[in-house]
Amino acid sequence: MSEEKSLNFLEEIIETDLADGKYTSIVTRFPPEPNGYLHMGHATSICLNFGLTNKYPGYTNLRFDDTNPVAEDTEFVESIKEDIKWLGFEWKHELYASDYFDTMYEYAVTLINKGLAYVEDATAEEIAKLKGTPTEPGKDSAARSRSVAENLDLFTRMKNGEFADGTKTLRAKIDMAHTNMLMRDPLIYRIKHAHHHRTGDKWCIYPMYDFAHGQSDSIENITHSICTLEFIPHRELYDWFIEKLEIYPSHQYEFARRNLSYTVMSKRKLKQLVEEKHVAGWDDPRMPTISGMRRRGFTPQSIRTFCDKVGIAKRENIIDFSLLEFCLREDLNNTALRTMAVLDPLKLIITNYEDGKTEELQSENGPDEAYGTRTVPFSKELWIEREDFMEVPAKKWFRFAPGASVRLKSAYILRCDTFDKDESGKVTAIHCTYFPESKSGSDTSGIAVKGTIHWVSATHAAMAQVNMYDRLFKVENPGSEEGDFKDYINPDSLHIVQAFIEPSLLKATLSDHFQFLRKGYFCLDKESTAEKIIFNRTVTLKDAWVKEVKKG
Ligand code: ATP
Ligand code: MG
């Protein structure tokens, strides 16, 4: 992908609008419904909306689309704000569609007065029956010919709570034979005696999405109202309301939803995973939620780079999760602190090293000298990875085997002499000789070795639980497979190991990112305590997965 990117279709529209003088600055909004945690699809919309007003003059509002009283919660409001801030964006105004309920009510009255809305008595089933089909016109209901005065009276009484849920609705009076089914007298208000997280019990009638959304855009003077493709047929209605109400003409533009392979991205499905305990919560590190990815160790920069690289489209497609991991590795390679941890420990004893002695060695912290070095303790007994020893070495094996010499990172060259086994045949320790003149940085030993491995001092290392995560689903597009998407959950998406970590990792904080040398990128988990240290594997160093899939 070249760095010089061409404009996306929205940037083209905006540049034309600005050049034509249609606008001197633009206003966009990110309009989440606070009924769940944000996921990568939302991240795309956030990067798009805020990205446009970072690039062009103008600003972006955060508007909670909280017109449905039942599903919404302040817990979600708080998490949404945290996630947007974490991604690195700033909204101009924090707004709530529910703050416009009075204005929306006035708008509805305006439509009634213009003879463009009426109170319906028919039930949802009766309304559906009269609606017709795409090839057959609908039929007028009896209520359609009500007088303005009667409609005003009934609508006021709806507001005053005189009617039960579902017994009356307010409908726009458009055209029951319209080719666009959404234009066949759509509902604009319904009765719902429910407590709202902000307006409490003030209202028992609530505006429908199509009425509330465009009107909120207009109230905020949104110039470019960006939504996903499924709203294309709604645009006609969006424009109709604005025209009939003679209010600020916001315009709706549509782009393709973001889909990612090996995961699902709908709040409804993510909620099921949480409620049925397939994952530990909305911020489980395997979830494609922003909070889950943060806990997993994704960086804001990697997500923004990903959104930028992928861009936006007018047709749906599935983007490979590996591309997101590629952006993550690229960022972490430049920023993560280098450390050592042994995930599958094998004891190494240095026969010719003094008992009880500790040397403080220096090891590089980062990809270049600017990061400096840290102290790593070295002693007679060490832990190395079990996979770095082979009893009978394979061809081109540059790690430990009887008689083979290897460099320990930032330390010495060691030669393996013997090893111990238990009754089951499992290797329990290896015994080595070290070469004192081979110390890293001042090596005068003249010994040439091909392999360098990581290690930790057994006396100084701390124990930690390391959560090794893999993808949550076994198939590329679990949502489109036959049966329930949950049948495709990867049963091996979490593998827990007990590791030994170098002492400097005891100072880790939740915002740190580490490379455990040769093992991948890791971060501290939020449930980690001094008594029980927990790290999460963010991502491996290389993309092992794509190859596996191709092989398998
Ligand atoms: P879900 O289907 O997961 O519930 P939603 O669209 O109902 O998503 P909202 O809270 O209503 O969620 O969405 C807020 C904004 O995020 C909307 O503008 C919506 O278009 C956008 N958005 C949601 N999911 C995606 C996605 N997968 N790709 C791009 N934009 C998305
Ligand atoms: Mg929604």
Side-chain angles (χ1 to χ4, degrees), residues 72-216:
E72 296 157 0
D73 205 309
T74 31
E75 173 199 345
F76 298 131
V77 168
E78 292 310 314
S79 78
I80 289 169
K81 292 197 307 194
E82 187 187 350
D83 288 350
I84 300 171
K85 281 191 224 153
W86 179 76
L87 280 173
F89 294 108
E90 268 177 62
W91 53 85
K92 175 82 169 181
H93 303 292
E94 176 184 331
L95 302 163
Y96 294 81
S98 58
D99 286 345
Y100 310 140
F101 280 165
D102 286 291
T103 310
M104 288 173 194
Y105 181 80
E106 289 309 316
Y107 286 165
V109 171
T110 302
L111 289 180
I112 295 174
N113 277 320
K114 287 188 168 189
L116 295 172
Y118 60 95
V119 172
E120 177 64 86
D121 316 299
T123 63
E125 294 76 45
E126 287 160 351
I127 291 173
K129 226 184 257 166
L130 289 174
K131 198 138 200 187
T133 66
T135 51
E136 240 178 277
K139 293 194 183 80
D140 290 1
S141 81
R144 201 173 198 268
S145 52
R146 278 199 163 115
S147 69
V148 168
E150 196 184 353
N151 280 318
L152 283 175
D153 173 59
L154 286 170
F155 190 50
T156 311
R157 289 166 58 198
M158 275 170 69
K159 179 183 85 147
N160 292 344
E162 286 185 33
F163 307 114
D165 288 6
T167 58
K168 292 210 172 358
T169 50
L170 185 71
R171 296 178 75 175
K173 192 169 179 177
I174 307 179
D175 180 357
M176 286 307 290
H178 205 288
T179 47
N180 180 349
M181 296 287 284
L182 290 170
M183 298 295 278
R184 293 186 187 175
D185 292 12
L187 302 194
I188 53 185
Y189 261 94
R190 61 183 171 150
I191 301 173
K192 194 145 201 151
H193 290 267
H195 190 82
H196 185 279
H197 78 127
R198 283 174 64 87
T199 57
D201 298 316
K202 177 175 176 192
W203 296 92
C204 63
I205 56 170
Y206 290 95
M208 303 299 287
Y209 175 87
D210 281 320
F211 191 65
H213 199 88
Q215 305 0 284
S216 303

Side-chain angles (χ1 to χ4, degrees), residues 442-504:
S442 57
D443 182 1
T444 55
S445 69
I447 306 168
V449 292
K450 284 204 169 137
T452 302
I453 66 167
H454 64 280
W455 53 276
V456 293
S457 162
T459 358
H460 304 89
M463 280 270 269
Q465 170 179 319
V466 180
N467 298 327
M468 312 278 267
Y469 292 108
D470 202 345
R471 298 192 175 160
L472 192 52
F473 289 92
K474 294 181 289 190
V475 295
E476 219 174 62
N477 190 358
S480 75
E481 296 284 340
E482 226 171 88
D484 189 345
F485 76 100
K486 285 168 288 166
D487 296 344
Y488 301 91
I489 291 178
N490 174 7
D492 301 316
S493 63
L494 170 59
H495 177 57
I496 296 177
V497 301
Q498 297 301 327
F500 287 108
I501 58 173
E502 66 166 71
S504 78

Side-chain angles (χ1 to χ4, degrees), residues 30-33 39 41-42 45 228 255 257-258 265-267:
F30 174 63
E33 184 178 353
H39 51 61
H42 297 114
S45 172
T228 43
F255 74 105
R257 294 181 80 78
R258 166 76 66 245
M265 268 197 309
S266 106
K267 270 182 275 184

